[in-house]
Amino acid sequence: MELKQLQYFMAICEELHFTRAAEKMGVSAPNISQQIRRLEEELGVLLFDRVGKTIVLTEAGAILHEHGAAVFGHLQQASDAITDLKQMQGGSLSIGVLPGDADLMFNALLLNFHQSYPTISLSLLETTKITEQVLDRSIDVGVTIGPVIDERLTSIPLFHEEFSLAVSTNDPLATENFIPLNRLHALKMVMFPPDHQCRKLIDRFCMDKGFILQPHMVTTTLSSLLQMVLSGVGVCVLPRLLLENLHNKDIKVLQLRNPTPSQDICLIYRSDRYVGYAMRTFIKTLRAYIEAAINQAKSS
């Protein structure tokens, strides 16, 4: 069995079409068909059932596909490891985060990371399809809502995120330390749009309590939300860790109870990928950054 034959076989598995697979591999359709016939003759089994223009994997084909994926996965890991070795303490890393999290968590982290590791190039992408993009390798790692259960992925728990209410210190509510969640129904709220992941979480908790939020004002940016809170336009639900680390003396943070909106945050990457210097360093830095933020919030 030649590696090129296995590459042709895997391409056909992806396309389930000989002509499209041939185009993908840059060869003629007769050439790829001939190579597959030779492979079948060598193995003594049919790899595909051909019904007209439709093809499906046979049981033997499914076995070869599983092991072929492992072979090319190991080859990719070897290539990544060698590239990492050549780059020594450099490299690049693409990170996927949910919309809004770049503002909520990552701006300060990326600045600190660049100052500490200037030879590593980072790119940050806001996306709602983190799991899919990690799986198709369009991003290297993703920070998303857990749990993520997929044997193709490694998941690292980062922290449990609770949400609190931000109010102006001039608001009468600032005399309180906590309020029940159902009181949000009677408050003038400023919120992210309905498709924002923070808003989705809050809406879900509110609907579970039997009411739907009708925000007084909606905006897409964290800075404008905070400005409207400071100006007394309304109050806003945001991650408690974020609010407490703002250290803004003009914003009072009230705990939400019965229940407290919360979610688990995790980091994911493909289990079959090589974890090189850039990724190892980013994961270590991210976990230290979160731990420091939590400790700072507790001490404030």
Side-chain angles (χ1 to χ4, degrees), residues 28-73:
S28 68
N31 186 0
I32 202 170
S33 297
Q34 183 183 46
Q35 291 296 329
I36 295 302
R37 279 197 300 271
R38 287 178 180 174
L39 182 57
E40 290 176 325
E41 289 170 2
E42 178 184 342
L43 296 174
V45 294
L46 288 177
L47 299 173
F48 299 99
D49 279 331
R50 301 163 178 85
V51 182
K53 294 184 178 181
T54 303
I55 61 172
V56 295
L57 279 170
T58 63
E59 185 176 354
I63 292 172
L64 182 59
H65 178 262
E66 178 182 352
H67 289 278
V71 167
F72 288 112

Side-chain angles (χ1 to χ4, degrees), residues 156-177:
I156 301 175
L158 293 176
F159 64 101
H160 183 71
E161 181 175 59
E162 294 186 350
F163 286 72
S164 295
L165 188 67
V167 305
S168 166
T169 51
N170 295 322
D171 193 299
L173 277 174
T175 59
E176 304 186 40
N177 291 319

Side-chain angles (χ1 to χ4, degrees), residues 20-249:
R20 288 198 298 267
E23 292 172 352
K24 182 176 182 179
M25 298 301 295
V27 298
S28 68
N31 186 0
I32 202 170
S33 297
Q34 183 183 46
Q35 291 296 329
I36 295 302
R37 279 197 300 271
R38 287 178 180 174
L39 182 57
E40 290 176 325
E41 289 170 2
E42 178 184 342
L43 296 174
V45 294
L46 288 177
L47 299 173
F48 299 99
D49 279 331
R50 301 163 178 85
V51 182
K53 294 184 178 181
T54 303
I55 61 172
V56 295
L57 279 170
T58 63
E59 185 176 354
I63 292 172
L64 182 59
H65 178 262
E66 178 182 352
H67 289 278
V71 167
F72 288 112
H74 288 307
L75 287 174
Q76 184 62 51
Q77 286 192 50
S79 176
D80 291 343
I82 292 169
T83 299
D84 191 49
L85 179 63
K86 289 191 297 184
Q87 292 175 334
M88 299 182 70
Q89 293 191 341
S92 61
L93 192 69
S94 56
I95 307 150
V97 300
L98 293 166
D101 277 1
D103 282 340
L104 299 181
M105 179 190 299
F106 282 91
N107 282 344
L109 170 65
L110 293 183
L111 178 60
N112 293 341
F113 188 89
H114 175 69
Q115 291 171 341
S116 300
Y117 305 98
T119 60
I120 297 177
S121 299
L122 294 184
S123 60
L124 191 68
L125 171 70
E126 288 192 329
T127 172
T128 58
K129 297 181 179 180
I130 289 177
T131 300
E132 295 92 329
Q133 291 186 262
V134 170
L135 285 171
D136 68 20
R137 301 182 189 273
S138 56
I139 55 177
D140 297 315
V141 299
V143 178
T144 188
I145 300 168
V148 176
I149 302 172
D150 190 313
E151 62 182 13
R152 298 168 295 176
L153 296 171
T154 295
S155 177
I156 301 175
L158 293 176
F159 64 101
H160 183 71
E161 181 175 59
E162 294 186 350
F163 286 72
S164 295
L165 188 67
V167 305
S168 166
T169 51
N170 295 322
D171 193 299
L173 277 174
T175 59
E176 304 186 40
N177 291 319
F178 65 88
I179 65 169
L181 183 72
N182 59 14
R183 277 190 63 186
L184 296 183
H185 187 45
L187 299 180
K188 187 182 290 186
M189 303 290 300
V190 293
M191 301 286 289
F192 284 119
D195 60 347
H196 191 285
Q197 61 98 6
C198 288
R199 173 71 182 278
K200 288 180 180 179
L201 176 81
I202 304 308
D203 282 348
R204 187 171 71 249
F205 271 81
C206 290
M207 284 189 286
D208 287 345
K209 293 295 289 184
F211 66 96
I212 296 175
L213 284 180
Q214 300 291 340
H216 179 65
M217 193 170 293
V218 170
T219 181
T220 60
T221 65
L222 174 64
S223 58
S224 56
L225 278 180
L226 294 173
Q227 187 56 51
M228 284 190 282
V229 170
L230 288 168
S231 302
V233 174
V235 298
C236 182
V237 179
L238 288 168
R240 179 177 59 82
L241 191 60
L242 164 75
L243 291 171
E244 292 184 346
N245 279 280
L246 288 176
H247 300 296
N248 191 317
K249 60 181 179 59

Side-chain angles (χ1 to χ4, degrees), residues 253-272:
V253 180
L254 306 183
Q255 185 181 11
L256 291 168
R257 294 185 181 176
N258 302 321
T260 300
S262 64
Q263 61 189 7
D264 292 312
I265 304 297
C266 65
L267 179 142
I268 59 173
Y269 60 89
R270 283 187 65 107
S271 300
D272 62 358

